Amino acid sequence: MAGTGTRRADPASPRTANLAAVLRALRAGPLSRTQLAARCGLAKSAVPGLLTELAERGLVRPAGVLPGNGRPSRLVELDGEGVPALALSIEADRLSAVVTDLSGRVLAEHAETVDVAAAGLQRSMDELAHLARRVLPGPPAGVAVSVPGLVDSAAAVLRFAPALRWRDAEIAGLMAARLDVPVDAVAVDNEATLGALAEAAAGTGSELFYLSGGTAVGGGFVSGGTILRGARGFAGEVGHIAVDPSGERCACGRTGCLETKANLAAVLRAAAAPGDPLHDPALGVEGRVSQLKDRVRHGDQRAATAVHELGVALGVALSTVVDVLDPDVVVLGGSFAELGDWLVEPIRVELAARPLGHARVVPSALGLRAPLRGAAHLAAERLFANPTLGREEASG
């Protein structure tokens, strides 16, 4: 197969499909050639040649032997350090960049506190590209950007992000130009959708609903291991489920939406008086959530009541989600994950009062980093779909 490592194959060719099948099988962990043949539905004789090509492309490497009686089987695992996946995150007060190898192992990461709305779109893209260049060891296999808003993922356009005050932002094109990568190498997705993807990849469940909390409230649904996006890609926007008909008027024009009770600003207003240090924006989302946790932990009654009421509101909204989608597990992400010790029980009580309230409720083990991990998974997906991309673009 001399020379195959330097050409990009037709993505629809049978050989490219077989390379992709082998690479995807190894995503779950090291396998022997016999195991790969069985999992991919390939003839045993076809596997060595495919592994040789993948190794030449720097995508797989030896991983010892499979213990057992008789002749030992040699194991192979993902490599991919030379074709990193780049995950980027835009939040209202923070820009982040993470590089992983194909197995999802973090190779480098960096974040900066930025008032993104004040900085504006172009300057924020400049800062994000600067972060990316700080962590990248070489040309990425793919790039994925996590954003807090409505995303047309097919067009890679952020349609609306209230927390950023951005509309119709062509994130993929802006980032591709700054990083000098093909525009089709850049994916853009909603942070809650990526959080759900990260949880599914981590094995939390194949039928799960991920509920993300922070400056806004969003959700993502995974069924059969696949993200369900809806007709326009906006599925999971649960922030406007009505939970209190006599509550506050929402920015959407309706009354008592979950967003009015569960976004971080609303929770902090309920937890502390105006002027309290808990409202200091300089602390960022993580700092304020950390302080809120400390207050609840140390018996601050106002803070504890605010978090309990948040749990009740989430439970009311999630009862509708569970009735409609029937997930096995509901994962609390973002700031909700950080407050999970006090949110899970009131949510369970609300769900238990409904006929279909059987779903498990768990805080995300990935915490505030779940969207970035999901973005890394999505960025790597480009190479898993077509393993012939990496070497050509890296050498270019």
Side-chain angles (χ1 to χ4, degrees):
M1 297 300 297
T4 13
T6 59
R7 292 197 309 271
R8 179 187 299 186
D10 176 1
S13 75
R15 184 166 185 85
T16 302
N18 290 340
L19 289 168
V22 170
L23 203 62
R24 285 188 190 281
L26 292 171
R27 210 168 194 176
L31 294 171
S32 70
R33 294 179 179 188
T34 301
Q35 290 170 327
L36 281 168
R39 296 212 183 173
C40 301
L42 297 169
K44 288 183 182 180
S45 59
V47 174
L50 295 171
L51 289 176
T52 296
E53 182 170 343
L54 291 171
E56 289 174 351
R57 294 179 181 279
L59 302 180
V60 302
R61 62 190 174 196
V65 295
L66 184 68
N69 297 324
R71 185 177 178 181
S73 298
R74 295 178 182 177
L75 295 172
V76 181
E77 65 182 2
L78 294 176
D79 186 356
E81 289 189 16
V83 278
L86 174 63
L88 302 172
S89 172
I90 303 170
E91 302 168 71
D93 64 346
R94 183 183 178 97
L95 299 174
S96 306
V98 167
V99 169
T100 70
D101 64 13
L102 293 186
S103 68
R105 182 171 62 94
V106 174
L107 304 178
E109 59 184 317
H110 195 71
E112 289 184 1
T113 300
V114 177
D115 185 340
V116 174
L121 176 60
Q122 297 296 336
R123 184 177 154 203
S124 296
M125 291 294 99
D126 289 342
E127 290 294 325
L128 193 58
H130 174 69
L131 278 183
R133 286 189 289 269
R134 285 188 64 172
V135 297
L136 271 174
V143 182
V145 187
S146 168
V147 291
L150 295 176
V151 177
D152 180 343
S153 58
V157 173
L158 173 60
R159 293 301 179 194
F160 181 46
L164 308 181
R165 301 201 291 271
W166 294 356
R167 284 185 181 273
D168 295 324
E170 297 183 355
I171 303 294
L174 293 169
M175 190 50 55
R178 285 163 169 80
L179 296 179
D180 194 25
V181 298
V183 70
D184 65 2
V186 183
V188 182
D189 222 323
N190 172 268
E191 56 90 19
T193 299
L194 291 172
L197 180 61
E199 291 293 337
T204 305
S206 62
E207 300 285 335
L208 70 85
F209 186 81
Y210 177 89
L211 182 66
S212 175
T215 54
V217 179
F221 182 49
V222 171
S223 180
T226 301
I227 292 287
L228 298 188
R229 298 181 179 279
R232 289 168 295 279
F234 301 156
E237 291 297 321
V238 297
H240 300 289
I241 293 177
V243 296
D244 183 3
S246 60
E248 297 179 22
R249 188 171 180 80
C250 181
C252 74
R254 290 180 289 185
T255 299
C257 293
L258 177 64
E259 186 90 21
T260 65
K261 290 183 172 293
N263 74 74
L264 183 61
V267 175
L268 295 179
R269 282 196 302 271
D276 189 286
L278 198 61
H279 300 296
D280 184 0
L283 294 173
V285 171
E286 289 190 51
R288 283 176 284 178
V289 172
S290 178
Q291 284 205 13
L292 179 59
K293 286 172 60 177
D294 286 343
R295 293 189 185 194
V296 176
R297 191 177 289 117
H298 291 98
D300 183 315
Q301 191 56 49
R302 178 168 177 168
T305 299
V307 172
H308 178 80
E309 291 178 352
L310 168 63
V312 172
L314 294 179
V316 172
L318 285 170
S319 65
T320 298
V321 171
V322 169
D323 284 349
V324 173
L325 299 179
D326 191 29
D328 286 330
V329 58
V330 172
V331 183
L332 304 180
S335 60
F336 299 154
E338 300 300 302
L339 298 169
D341 287 347
W342 304 282
L343 292 179
V344 167
E345 189 56 30
I347 291 173
R348 283 177 176 160
V349 168
E350 290 297 323
L351 292 182
R354 271 69 175 182
L356 299 180
H358 58 270
R360 291 185 297 121
V361 182
V362 298
S364 170
L366 301 174
L368 294 167
R369 298 292 176 263
L372 260 176
R373 298 307 296 270
H377 188 91
L378 182 61
E381 182 61 28
R382 180 170 178 263
L383 192 58
F384 280 96
N386 184 356
T388 70
L389 290 173
R391 175 66 60 85
E392 177 183 289
E393 292 181 358
S395 63

